[in-house]
Amino acid sequence: MQFWRSRSNGRRSGAGTWKVVLAAILAIATIVGAALGLRSSGGERAVGYTEIAQIAATGAASEVRVDGERVDVTRASGERLTTVVSDAESRHELVQRFVASGVSVTFASAEGGPLGVAARVLIPLIALGALGATLLLRRKKSAAAGAFATSSAAGRVRFADVAGMDEAKDALTETVEFLQNPATFGRLGGRPPRGVLLTGEPGTGKTLLARAVATEAGVPFLSASGSSFQEMFVGVGASRVRTLFADARRAAPCIVFIDEIDTVGRARGRGGDSASGDHDQTLNQLLVEMDGFDHTTGIVVMASTNRPDVLDPAIVRPGRFDRHVVVPLPDLRGRMEILAVHARPIEMEGVDLAHVARGTPGFSGAELANLLNEAAILAAREGALAVQVTHVERARDRVMMGAERRGMVIDPEERHATAVHEAGHVAVGVAAEHTDPVHKVSIAPRGRALGVTHSLPERDRHLYRREYLLDQICMMLGGRAAEIEILGTMTAGAADDLERAAALGRRMVAELGMSDLGPICVKDPSARSQALLDRVEEVTRRLLEEQLGRARRIVDERRAEIESLVRALLERDTLDAAEIRACFPGDAAKKARWSARPALTQGS
Ligand code: ADP
Ligand code: ZN
């Protein structure tokens, strides 16, 4: 029961006994499996997720069997394919696709029949016995080998596979050099790296980058998610940290990667309940471990977060995570390079990646990869021979707004409320001067959302102006404004909007110095006091209230326009930019004049 995934890059092989025990377990399992008439695992072709997803989309399978993380697919031709989908949500989605196209799906369990009961009892017993034996043997064995499975060459990521991010890669070459030769590193006068904090939005490639560092240096990569240290039982988190580092010492030189470090590294000492006490213990243990090794230990801890602001100041003190590498959202060139990497295995026809890159400002690397994957799925579903521009465009909408959940039945009253809520966002989007053009609005349920309004920046923005950010908040609150003004009530559908608006507002006040509190920066831990934090909250609340007031006025002045938009939405579910403009003729004309103005005259 390992809670972290470990991967060695082929430097060390497992201990002899370990291999023998493994072989023994395999042999026993095979014999028992065959004797009980369970499916043998021979004859399947191992394929990637994409191939299975494409089959799922076209429904060209006769049978699907899900066994834990493994998905086995029998094609209509009788060919058997297998893949491992470790992400539960992706697996779920895959299964849903198969079900939707009428393929029979079974989940593995000990099968019925006369031998079923025996199988159910015997197999766990044998497994338990084998596990016990292994543990005993491992105890006796010296600590030299560790539990690192030797991974195949496939799946190794090098710097060349990480597109863009030249600066981040530059910043990490020193870490690579250190890991290649920890003992002599200090002699050249360099200060050896110990902790590297990667900060950036989700999906920007932080994990990918950390893996690439391990491959480039040729060292094992041990990873754990910050959230895996949070447990129901007090003390478990701390003991897991100890185990992780004990393994790391054995594997050194190596990289320990902690994803979502903010879940362990939140500032200590808030609240006196046992959960937060446990959290403090986990964090303390991490700090103790990091203080306990010097450069000869040869361990580099890399951690990623998108909330560096909430980290305990102790974490970023010298000698701990004192190297910071920012992993930004890709710019136009970066997007093009990422698209090029992920387009390699895909057959395309007439798709200009530069054009796609221009149309996807604000997309993360993960979203770009996902976009091409979705496009390939759409193309396969239609039986097209290659991915064409229309597939890419539809995939972009899907990635931006989430896939539609067809077949979900919505109560007409809820549908109306959703239409009004979205119409509120749209109204502010077209009426406010500094918002990006509204690109699409939909009340077809997607993912968790009942509706979405999407605006698309016309260009990459590098410097956000105060007016733009205020308009963003106003637009986020437009949904709630319409609920109040038009429905005369409030719905829970605005929860996400409120959260995002509050986060942006707080940032403007606390970090960007855009309020009457003046040029403060709460990110700086030494400047943080409870009194200041309280004032930040108060000023943020006022800012949100002002923008909600503004949104309500905008909505109130456009009742007729909103009514026509709501009618169109109820009729057609999804409206594009032209259809939206048609509902707001006055505002659309004004907006066109604004955006025709040369950018330089907009003041500074
Ligand atoms: P993070 O750890 O920042 O959340 P990941 O490293 O898990 O992001 O990235 C998720 C996926 O997105 C990667 O597996 C890869 O397919 C894609 N990706 C993200 N950034 C890049 C990049 N710069 N180059 C190539 N692929 C990328
Ligand atoms: Zn909303």
Side-chain angles (χ1 to χ4, degrees), residues 289-301:
E289 296 287 352
M290 288 190 72
D291 291 343
F293 52 76
D294 60 18
H295 69 278
T296 53
T297 317
I299 299 175
V300 173
V301 187

Side-chain angles (χ1 to χ4, degrees), residues 161-163 165 201-208 259 338 341-342 365-366 369:
D161 304 312
V162 185
M165 289 205 247
E201 306 276 314
T204 42
K206 298 181 290 296
T207 311
L208 197 69
D259 200 5
I338 294 173
V341 166
H342 292 277

